[in-house]
């Protein structure tokens, strides 16, 4: 069943069709429930994080180790020969000889695609600049499937920095096959990029753009909140002007449907008040845990350990 994904790369959501998404979500569920126990003994994943990470790097690391596999974890280039002037492609062509799969995060958009063209192993994009973060979108799909029992016909609000936030680009594309109704809620300057909107329109997906969240809260099944991506701003003054332009409090969600769940890829800065954490609507730490099951599914399917 998973033959189609063996030895494939996951660089962009466009690399996956609906049957791939369904398979990954089902496999993550089977792994969490113990119905599938992938055996990765003897296999090594290189986790190359050229940009900071907590959840993505550690959940891939945890996923590999829970399956009996091992990891080579690089966080920053400080202790590597990149500091001596080694090129990106020479670094990759060396590391591929030490592992079975490469997971990579890089500040440059397209870096993971480039890596997939240089090496002969599956490459997984763990975030490339402001472009894509497909494995986050996959764990988000799995989280939504768990909270709502379906991915079909949900009303999803994406809130915050929709321009530089790579997670929302991937998530909008990931949900598109499931007949969603989107609300894109952001201050001016941080709107969803035109190319994503054009793709949704071409696929017949409905979206509404808004500047404030309050009026739409009672409609939502999922409120997906993101931080303003400070590191992507060319002008720090723009960041200063826009940071803190929306903060979700208990008051914001007082008219939410009972089943509405708040997701956030984390890290949070101040866009969700801590008082919301104890609310039954808050799901972001469970979401972070779901990352381990989804990344177990990704690693085991791409390496062929789960067939
Ligand atoms: C996100 C990322 O790196 O894009 N974090 C994550 O992987 N969970 C979101 C963010 O940094 O805001």
């Amino acid at each position: 069943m998973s033959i189609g994904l063996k030895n494939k790369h996951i660089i962009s959501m466009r690399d996956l069709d609906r049957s791939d998404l369904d398979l990954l979500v089902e496999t993550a569920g089977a792994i969490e429930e113990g119905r599938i126990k992938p055996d990765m003994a003897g296999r090594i994943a290189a986790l190359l994080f050229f940009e900071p990470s907590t959840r993505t790097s550690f959940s891939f690391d945890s996923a590999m180790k829970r399956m009996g596999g091992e990891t080579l974890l690089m966080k920053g280039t400080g202790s590597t020969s990149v500091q001596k002037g080694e090129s990106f492609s020479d670094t990759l062509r060396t590391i591929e000889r030490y592992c079975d799969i490469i997971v990579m995060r890089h500040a440059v958009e397209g870096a993971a695609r480039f890596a997939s063209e240089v090496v002969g192993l599956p490459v997984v994009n763990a975030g490339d600049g402001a472009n894509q973060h497909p494995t986050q979108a996959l764990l988000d799909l799995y989280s939504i499937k768990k909270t709502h029992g379906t991915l079909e016909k949900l009303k999803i609000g994406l809130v915050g920095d929709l321009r530089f936030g790579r997670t929302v680009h991937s998530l909008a594309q990931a949900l598109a096959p499931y007949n969603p109704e989107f609300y894109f809620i952001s201050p001016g300057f941080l709107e969803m990029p035109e190319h994503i909107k054009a793709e949704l329109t071409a696929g017949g997906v409905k979206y509404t753009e808004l500047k404030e969240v309050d009026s739409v809260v009672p409609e939502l099944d999922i409120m997906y909140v993101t931080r303003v991506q400070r590191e992507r701003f060319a002008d720090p003054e723009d960041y200063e002007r826009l940071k803190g332009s929306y903060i979700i409090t208990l008051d914001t969600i007082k008219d939410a449907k009972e089943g509405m769940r708040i997701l956030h890829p984390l890290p949070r800065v101040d866009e969700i008040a801590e008082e919301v954490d104890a609310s039954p609507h808050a799901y972001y730490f469970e979401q972070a845990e779901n990352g381990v099951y989804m990344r177990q599914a990704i690693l085991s399917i791409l390496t062929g350990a789960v067939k």
Side-chain angles (χ1 to χ4, degrees), residues 214-234:
D214 298 46
S215 61
V216 78
V217 168
E219 299 289 322
L220 298 179
D221 296 305
I222 294 287
M223 181 193 286
Y224 191 96
V225 186
T226 62
R227 81 183 159 93
V228 179
Q229 307 277 302
R230 185 179 57 193
E231 67 275 32
R232 311 275 178 235
F233 283 70

Side-chain angles (χ1 to χ4, degrees), residues 51-57 105 126-127 129 132-133 136 139 164-167 224 226-229 231-232 264-268 271 295:
E51 265 200 326
S53 167
T54 300
R55 276 147 291 272
T56 308
S57 54
R105 168 172 291 186
Q132 285 272 319
H133 193 348
Q136 177 71 43
L139 79 88
F164 298 121
R166 54 196 174 196
T167 67
Y224 191 96
T226 62
R227 81 183 159 93
V228 179
Q229 307 277 302
E231 67 275 32
R232 311 275 178 235
H264 189 310
L266 302 176
R268 145 174 72 180
E271 56 282 351
R295 285 165 175 142

Side-chain angles (χ1 to χ4, degrees), residues 215-284:
S215 61
V216 78
V217 168
E219 299 289 322
L220 298 179
D221 296 305
I222 294 287
M223 181 193 286
Y224 191 96
V225 186
T226 62
R227 81 183 159 93
V228 179
Q229 307 277 302
R230 185 179 57 193
E231 67 275 32
R232 311 275 178 235
F233 283 70
D235 183 349
E237 274 181 27
D238 284 330
Y239 175 72
E240 290 304 320
R241 182 167 54 81
L242 291 161
K243 72 172 190 198
S245 47
Y246 48 90
I247 294 175
I248 308 301
T249 63
L250 284 176
D251 190 55
T252 319
I253 56 171
K254 64 181 186 311
D255 297 324
K257 288 187 213 169
E258 199 183 320
M260 190 277 277
R261 289 291 175 272
I262 303 173
L263 272 62
H264 189 310
L266 302 176
R268 145 174 72 180
V269 181
D270 59 2
E271 56 282 351
I272 302 178
E274 280 187 27
E275 64 179 18
V276 176
D277 298 1
S279 143
H281 297 291
Y283 192 73
Y284 23 94

Side-chain angles (χ1 to χ4, degrees), residues 10-301:
I10 299 183
I11 307 298
S12 150
M13 280 327 292
R14 295 188 195 98
D15 296 330
L16 303 169
D17 62 21
R18 185 180 164 144
S19 65
D20 297 327
L21 302 180
D22 289 340
L23 171 74
L24 285 159
V25 168
E26 271 166 38
T27 306
I31 290 172
E32 180 174 4
E33 289 161 18
R35 287 182 282 115
I36 297 181
K37 294 188 198 301
D39 180 6
M40 295 285 272
R43 295 185 208 246
I44 298 175
L47 312 178
L48 308 181
F49 283 76
F50 293 84
E51 265 200 326
S53 167
T54 300
R55 276 147 291 272
T56 308
S57 54
F58 289 133
S59 67
F60 266 113
D61 201 356
S62 173
M64 199 63 189
K65 288 169 179 164
R66 285 182 193 204
M67 299 187 290
E70 296 189 60
T71 57
L72 306 174
L73 178 59
M74 184 197 91
K75 291 197 132 186
T77 57
S79 60
T80 72
S81 289
V82 172
Q83 296 299 329
K84 301 182 193 168
E86 185 166 42
S87 72
F88 187 47
S89 70
D90 282 4
T91 302
L92 291 166
R93 287 162 66 198
T94 304
I95 290 171
E96 76 165 319
R97 291 162 189 272
Y98 305 148
C99 63
D100 303 287
I101 185 166
I102 291 177
V103 176
M104 199 183 82
R105 168 172 291 186
H106 202 287
V108 175
E109 294 186 19
R113 180 71 69 197
F114 175 81
S116 72
E117 286 162 6
V118 169
V119 304
L121 302 173
V123 174
V124 177
N125 181 7
D128 63 327
N131 185 31
Q132 285 272 319
H133 193 348
T135 72
Q136 177 71 43
L138 289 166
L139 79 88
D140 296 338
L141 285 191
Y142 179 50
S143 298
I144 296 169
K145 184 75 190 287
K146 280 175 71 176
T147 59
H148 286 75
T150 178
L151 294 171
E152 281 291 341
K153 295 195 171 134
L154 296 173
K155 295 192 176 181
I156 316 259
L158 302 181
V159 185
D161 185 348
L162 309 185
R163 176 176 182 174
F164 298 121
R166 54 196 174 196
T167 67
V168 283
H169 303 160
S170 295
L171 183 58
Q173 292 172 322
L175 282 162
Y178 301 97
N179 305 302
E181 202 172 320
F182 283 126
Y183 296 90
F184 295 153
I185 303 142
S186 71
F189 191 73
L190 298 181
E191 290 101 348
M192 185 62 87
E194 290 302 328
H195 74 274
I196 305 269
K197 290 189 284 190
E199 196 179 313
L200 296 174
T201 303
V205 176
K206 278 194 270 175
Y207 65 84
T208 307
E209 295 188 279
L210 299 161
K211 292 222 178 327
E212 52 76 41
V213 68
D214 298 46
S215 61
V216 78
V217 168
E219 299 289 322
L220 298 179
D221 296 305
I222 294 287
M223 181 193 286
Y224 191 96
V225 186
T226 62
R227 81 183 159 93
V228 179
Q229 307 277 302
R230 185 179 57 193
E231 67 275 32
R232 311 275 178 235
F233 283 70
D235 183 349
E237 274 181 27
D238 284 330
Y239 175 72
E240 290 304 320
R241 182 167 54 81
L242 291 161
K243 72 172 190 198
S245 47
Y246 48 90
I247 294 175
I248 308 301
T249 63
L250 284 176
D251 190 55
T252 319
I253 56 171
K254 64 181 186 311
D255 297 324
K257 288 187 213 169
E258 199 183 320
M260 190 277 277
R261 289 291 175 272
I262 303 173
L263 272 62
H264 189 310
L266 302 176
R268 145 174 72 180
V269 181
D270 59 2
E271 56 282 351
I272 302 178
E274 280 187 27
E275 64 179 18
V276 176
D277 298 1
S279 143
H281 297 291
Y283 192 73
Y284 23 94
F285 289 105
E286 290 89 341
Q287 178 188 358
E289 178 182 333
N290 291 335
V292 177
Y293 309 120
M294 178 48 79
R295 285 165 175 142
Q296 283 183 268
I298 292 166
L299 291 164
S300 58
I301 289 176

